């Protein structure tokens, strides 16, 4: 806890070049199940496994400057206060919305309202 502001990790996003292989791996090895998807389920563009691991299919996923890490989603009680603090650290909003913040070191955070 940092003062009266705290957060909970919501999900981690990985960019992968073969989403079907990754779905199979996380299903077989860890028993994870698809909880949400985008696109045709026979070959989705995105999936969420057990609502904590998001996989996005991106060709040449390891050549995007940040490896395969996509973003870290955090649930916070006051999104406006957290976003303001991130901007004070040099964060900038991304086209996805004001709650998507890229830090100067390249890390991308998705800030979500805690329910």
């Amino acid at each position: 806890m940092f003062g009266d502001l705290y957060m909970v990790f919501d999900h981690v996003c990985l960019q992968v070049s073969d989403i079907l292989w990754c779905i199979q791996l996380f299903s077989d090895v860890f028993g994870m199940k698809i909880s949400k998807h985008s696109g045709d389920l026979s070959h989705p563009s995105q999936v969420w496994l057990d609502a904590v691991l998001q996989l996005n299919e991106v060709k040449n996923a390891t050549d995007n400057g940040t490896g395969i890490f996509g973003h870290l989603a955090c649930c916070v009680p006051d999104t406006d206060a957290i976003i303001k603090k991130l901007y004070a650290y040099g964060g900038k909003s991304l086209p996805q919305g004001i709650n998507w913040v890229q830090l100067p070191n390249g890390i991308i955070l998705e800030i979500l309202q805690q329910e």
Side-chain angles (χ1 to χ4, degrees), residues 55-72:
L55 303 174
N56 290 352
E57 187 165 73
V58 177
K59 297 303 174 197
N60 301 317
T62 58
D63 190 25
N64 64 4
T66 59
I68 61 169
F69 178 76
H71 68 273
L72 180 61

Side-chain angles (χ1 to χ4, degrees), residues 13-20 22 43-47 54-71 96:
C13 173
L14 300 177
Q15 296 175 348
V16 300
S17 59
D18 186 344
I19 198 166
L20 296 176
C22 288
H43 198 129
S45 58
Q46 298 180 46
V47 296
Q54 178 183 351
L55 303 174
N56 290 352
E57 187 165 73
V58 177
K59 297 303 174 197
N60 301 317
T62 58
D63 190 25
N64 64 4
T66 59
I68 61 169
F69 178 76
H71 68 273
Q96 295 93 317

Side-chain angles (χ1 to χ4, degrees), residues 6-90:
Y6 63 95
M7 65 92 184
V8 174
F9 290 116
D10 184 77
H11 67 272
V12 174
C13 173
L14 300 177
Q15 296 175 348
V16 300
S17 59
D18 186 344
I19 198 166
L20 296 176
W21 182 86
C22 288
I23 292 168
Q24 187 67 42
L25 177 134
F26 284 102
S27 175
D28 284 348
V29 175
F30 299 106
M32 299 179 88
K33 306 283 184 235
I34 294 174
S35 54
K36 182 178 165 185
H37 70 280
S38 294
D40 185 341
L41 191 53
S42 67
H43 198 129
S45 58
Q46 298 180 46
V47 296
W48 287 259
L49 301 174
D50 293 342
V52 296
L53 178 61
Q54 178 183 351
L55 303 174
N56 290 352
E57 187 165 73
V58 177
K59 297 303 174 197
N60 301 317
T62 58
D63 190 25
N64 64 4
T66 59
I68 61 169
F69 178 76
H71 68 273
L72 180 61
C74 307
C75 291
V76 299
D78 185 345
T79 56
D80 293 335
I82 295 296
I83 290 168
K84 184 177 179 180
K85 286 184 174 225
L86 291 171
Y87 287 173
Y89 276 89

